[in-house]
Amino acid sequence: MTATAFAPRSYTGNPQKNSPALGATLAYMGVDGLLALLHGSQGCSTFIRLQLSRHFKEPVPLNSTALLEDTAIFGGWEHLKKGIAKAADKFKPRIIGVMSSGLTETFGDDMESAWSTLRQERPDLSDLPVVLAKTPDYVGSLQEGYQRTALALVETLAKDPAPQDAKTVALFPGVHLTPADVEELKDMVSLFGLTPLVLPDISTSLDGHSELDPAPVVQGGITLEEIRRIPGCVAAFSFGPSMAVVGEALQRMHGVPHMAVHSLTGLEAVDIFVLKLCQISGRPIPERLLRQRSRLLDTLADYHDQIGRKKIALALESDLLLSLAGCLAEFGAVIQTALAATAPDPSAVPPGIPVIVGDLEHLEETAVGSHLIIANSNARQAALPLKIPHLRAGLPVFDRAGMPQTVWIGYRGTQRFLIDCLNAMAV
């Protein structure tokens, strides 16, 4: 793995990192009937709602324990107990998902002891599932907060054994997959006669459907009953290198065979996944997928001269960065720079991809001379002065329509990604 050297500096310029608590909120949005509770200030929860709402164009139900100045000194342990109790009494959620913040983690609030004490004081809440995720702002980015929360969901809600089901598979999608991506993934698995249990499942909660009335809890996503069936799955797949720990936890807890899928964008990556589904289901590749693969090959034949040797600069969360950069390299493009928000697992980096941790100011320095920039909407501040086409990806995307409905995985999605890159460079 090679990397571009940056001049040393003592600041972060135009950071591309998002709050881990934002990633935790996104994970909780994939669980039906869950009430998300941020153990932090109201300002933090307001920012998270704003960031997610302008990306998904959907209301984001998020509550907070509303910590004030005194709790920054004396701690928010009592606030957390009161917050859980009040949320349970007022909104009657099926599950409460709590995430910490930089403030409470710095002080050292013990969320486990707060919940344990509350159960003793309120025996009527003992049967209420409460998930606790530690997501301090100073550890990782959006991706790490999402990963920690998905792991907490599995360890808390899927800890008990379940009846074995040879036709059910568990899917753990990474934060880099859009609601439409997750729906495409479910459709691919279903074509093999398998039933997918997806955790988190934002394909039915943040997909842009019309809700009759706003609600304080998540509407759509995987249900509690479905989560409790996950230990009985015949196999589990994690998508994105960061999510491998979730699949490994399920395998360790219940012996469910786990396969880590680093990417679902690109011909070889999709082929590997499809062949694994053939092996599990005992069925041949469906004609629909073969047709989609044929269309992708035809698109590559038609446009290989327009994508080959094009210089691409990317700045994204590491799972999405590795997926898109690996696909572009497979198709002959040159990855000029690949800036990750946080350091990826070196073993997951495709050969020849120059990955380095950097911000959007680094992007402006290293993208000079490239044909295309792929990054979130904030990278427009780098793309415009350089007069380089900018394809929006990742989160947030607030100056282009339809990002949550974009499909860039599978054969069909890989073809769409290639076309989107070509059209962006043609402007």
Side-chain angles (χ1 to χ4, degrees), residues 94-212:
R94 299 211 62 194
I95 311 163
I96 293 180
V98 182
M99 69 212 84
S100 62
S101 60
L103 174 64
T104 58
E105 288 289 340
T106 300
F107 185 86
D109 274 346
D110 188 342
M111 296 193 298
E112 288 83 0
S113 71
W115 171 227
S116 177
T117 302
L118 180 60
R119 284 203 305 265
Q120 295 174 12
E121 297 173 355
R122 291 283 306 273
D124 57 309
L125 298 180
S126 295
D127 294 332
L128 175 66
V130 174
V131 181
L132 305 173
K134 295 184 177 182
T135 55
D137 294 316
Y138 47 80
V139 177
S141 183
L142 170 144
Q143 178 176 285
E144 285 70 28
Y146 179 95
Q147 172 217 62
R148 288 183 172 207
T149 305
L151 180 60
L153 286 165
V154 169
E155 292 179 339
T156 305
L157 304 179
K159 60 184 178 182
D160 296 325
Q164 298 297 303
D165 187 345
K167 292 297 183 181
T168 303
V169 294
L171 308 178
F172 301 118
V175 71
H176 61 296
L177 299 188
T178 68
D181 282 333
V182 177
E183 186 171 58
E184 180 78 2
L185 176 59
K186 291 161 65 176
D187 287 346
M188 288 178 66
V189 172
S190 298
L191 288 174
F192 288 87
L194 300 169
T195 301
L197 295 177
V198 185
L199 178 68
D201 186 0
I202 60 172
S203 70
T204 55
S205 59
L206 293 174
D207 57 328
H209 67 280
S210 178
E211 295 178 351
L212 296 178

Side-chain angles (χ1 to χ4, degrees), residues 5-24:
F6 298 135
R9 67 186 195 200
S10 302
Y11 67 92
T12 297
N14 196 5
Q16 63 163 327
K17 289 175 63 175
N18 281 296
S19 164
L22 189 150

